[in-house]
Amino acid sequence: MDIWFPAIIITSLLLGWLIGRLSNSTSKPSSTHDFNNCSESYIQGLNYLLANKSDKAIELFVDLIKVDSETMETHLALGNLFRSKGEVEHAIKIHQNLVARPNLDQNQRIMALSELAEDYLKAGLLDRAENLFKELVQINPKNAYAQRKLYELYSLEKSWAQARDAAQVLADLDEEDGRLILTHCYCEMAEAAMGMGNMREASSYLDRALQIDSHCIRALLLSIEIHIHSNHLNKARKLFKQLLDTSPQFIELYIKPARELYLQHGSAENYQKFLIEQYEKTHSAAVALELLKRYLNVDDHQTLKLFLRQALEQSPSLALIDFAFQYLKSRPEGLNDIWASLSLHFHEIKFKKTNYQCHVCGYESQNMNWNCPSCHAWSSFKPIN
């Protein structure tokens, strides 16, 4: 089936073209000789296809069908067909032939450049594809298709300043996710600046991100980190409260800043109260684990064992069972007290394999991803309860 499919499609396209030529030849006797020559070339091209000699067939058909307003779509269809079948070199040859033609109008040239750029992407020739998308943007800076492709290429290369520029155009054009990806571009730039110790520059990027989306969890978390680093604790606490109020389902991501705010710049007692309160609200396994570590740190073993049993029943996770085994290894006398909970946990763990899931494509992950590795959507991961 794979061998015959391209031949059938190409034959259909060219047959329609030949019928049109035949219709024209009936009213123009002087063109009969040219049509006969085309018919012979057409038959020869079919023979090449049937003999699985695609290269020779393409060369013949490209020469046979001169590019004009009537045959442009035929050339594009031929190139797209070969690209869809994985024969990218053939698609490139056809689309390069189109781009090289001097008689194309601007719309036709844009179509040919777009298809050739897609060929280069499929072939992994990213530099060539980038250059063509840049050319498309030069022709029309508001070309959302070309800007999105440039954004995708720059994000793959981690060139976030360039990705930001393309995302800004998408946002200005009111593309559906333009503002979202622009926000994350600023977050990426902020993280890079923080890695180099440039907190002022990072803060500037985060301010821009929050101007776009004042509830962006990632930008708020990074801002809290910078405020703690700069000893601006009141600002950090204000943003932390905002996170708890607006997006409590991401409590696992808030434990690190909470630990710093309470333990390094507050009190251990208040931190423990905070964890108890948050666990009662969310039944988060991550919060349970942090609370268990607090009980262990202050040698409150009685409360620890009672809460461990409760947590294993309400919030089963691999991290909790690992903690249980590590704890009971040195205190085997407590095993019987929580064995029922451990047994129940083993049953539940069969059905709980991941912590987060992308609501766009369904990709599952143990860890939080701001950018989905599968569909590349931003802020698409949600906790699995």
Side-chain angles (χ1 to χ4, degrees):
M1 180 65 181
D2 289 341
I3 296 175
W4 289 96
F5 181 72
I8 293 171
I9 298 298
I10 294 175
T11 300
S12 301
L13 290 169
L14 293 172
L15 186 57
W17 173 77
L18 274 175
I19 291 173
R21 289 293 299 269
L22 179 59
S23 299
N24 292 335
S25 68
T26 57
S27 59
K28 298 178 181 179
S30 61
S31 66
T32 302
H33 177 71
D34 292 338
F35 177 77
N36 289 336
N37 289 337
C38 288
S39 299
E40 292 176 4
S41 298
Y42 172 75
I43 293 172
Q44 184 180 358
L46 290 183
N47 286 333
Y48 283 143
L49 283 175
L50 295 174
N52 204 25
K53 297 180 179 179
S54 299
D55 288 329
K56 292 184 178 180
I58 290 172
E59 290 177 5
L60 189 148
F61 286 139
V62 167
D63 289 337
L64 177 63
I65 309 176
K66 300 304 180 184
V67 178
D68 56 34
S69 60
E70 296 179 357
T71 63
M72 179 74 180
E73 292 185 3
T74 302
H75 278 78
L76 292 175
L78 282 171
N80 292 346
L81 172 65
F82 280 110
R83 186 174 68 228
S84 67
K85 298 299 293 181
E87 300 183 37
V88 186
E89 291 182 2
H90 297 157
I92 290 174
K93 184 178 295 185
I94 291 174
H95 291 139
Q96 281 178 336
N97 177 71
L98 283 177
V99 172
R101 299 291 175 135
N103 59 330
L104 298 181
D105 61 33
Q106 188 178 74
N107 288 335
Q108 289 174 333
R109 180 167 180 77
I110 289 174
M111 292 172 62
L113 287 172
S114 299
E115 296 300 338
L116 182 56
E118 290 289 350
D119 295 339
Y120 287 148
L121 285 179
K122 187 73 175 287
L125 303 173
L126 303 186
D127 289 342
R128 294 187 184 183
E130 180 181 336
N131 289 334
L132 289 186
F133 289 127
K134 285 180 178 178
E135 184 174 346
L136 287 169
V137 167
Q138 288 178 349
I139 296 173
N140 178 15
K142 294 184 179 181
N143 186 329
Y145 157 79
Q147 293 285 7
R148 185 173 294 278
K149 289 297 183 179
L150 282 174
Y151 157 74
E152 292 173 356
L153 286 171
Y154 292 142
S155 62
L156 285 174
E157 298 167 356
K158 308 298 182 184
S159 301
W160 293 111
Q162 292 172 294
R164 181 269 318 272
D165 293 340
Q168 181 67 65
V169 176
L170 294 176
D172 293 341
L173 293 174
D174 290 328
E175 288 290 297
E176 181 179 0
D177 57 350
R179 293 171 62 84
L180 176 63
I181 63 177
L182 179 59
T183 302
H184 280 283
C185 284
Y186 278 121
C187 288
E188 290 286 350
M189 295 169 71
E191 286 193 344
M194 291 169 67
M196 294 185 292
N198 195 336
M199 299 301 172
R200 178 174 296 180
E201 182 179 349
S203 294
S204 176
Y205 292 139
L206 292 173
D207 287 343
R208 297 180 194 179
L210 290 170
Q211 286 173 4
I212 300 168
D213 179 7
S214 61
H215 298 298
C216 177
I217 296 170
R218 187 184 186 187
L220 288 170
L221 283 170
L222 291 172
S223 296
I224 291 170
E225 184 177 343
I226 290 177
H227 286 317
I228 293 175
H229 180 271
S230 304
N231 206 33
H232 299 152
L233 301 182
N234 289 335
K235 292 182 179 180
R237 293 189 180 100
K238 182 178 179 180
L239 294 180
F240 186 71
K241 185 178 185 303
Q242 179 181 337
L243 280 176
L244 291 175
D245 292 340
T246 60
S247 304
Q249 69 272 28
F250 290 96
I251 182 63
E252 179 178 342
L253 302 178
Y254 308 156
I255 292 176
K256 181 177 180 293
R259 187 187 301 129
E260 294 181 1
L261 284 171
Y262 281 100
L263 294 185
Q264 296 182 17
H265 305 281
S267 71
E269 182 180 355
N270 287 336
Y271 183 46
Q272 185 168 304
K273 290 180 179 178
F274 165 80
L275 292 173
I276 293 173
E277 179 183 343
Q278 293 304 313
Y279 184 76
E280 291 175 350
K281 290 180 179 179
T282 66
H283 284 179
S284 164
V287 174
L289 183 62
E290 184 73 7
L291 185 54
L292 287 165
K293 291 177 181 178
R294 295 305 311 157
Y295 290 142
L296 182 61
N297 189 60
V298 296
D299 291 326
D300 189 353
H301 297 285
Q302 182 177 358
T303 304
L304 186 153
K305 285 186 286 186
L306 289 173
F307 180 67
L308 178 58
R309 180 173 181 175
Q310 175 188 351
L312 286 170
E313 292 175 353
Q314 295 179 338
S315 315
S317 74
L318 287 173
L320 280 177
I321 196 170
D322 180 64
F323 178 90
F325 278 124
Q326 294 298 325
Y327 178 75
L328 295 172
K329 183 178 179 180
S330 59
R331 296 173 179 79
E333 70 279 359
L335 181 60
N336 290 333
D337 294 338
I338 63 169
W339 181 252
S341 298
L342 285 171
S343 179
L344 177 62
H345 173 74
F346 279 124
H347 177 74
E348 293 290 340
I349 207 67
K350 295 178 183 178
F351 305 99
K352 183 175 173 62
K353 299 178 181 178
T354 56
N355 295 324
Y356 298 91
Q357 185 177 39
C358 174
H359 69 80
V360 176
C361 70
Y363 183 87
E364 297 180 343
S365 174
Q366 287 285 347
N367 302 313
M368 176 65 179
N369 293 280
W370 295 112
N371 187 232
C372 177
S374 178
C375 68
H376 304 295
W378 287 104
S379 295
S380 60
F381 274 77
K382 303 296 181 185
I384 298 176
N385 296 320

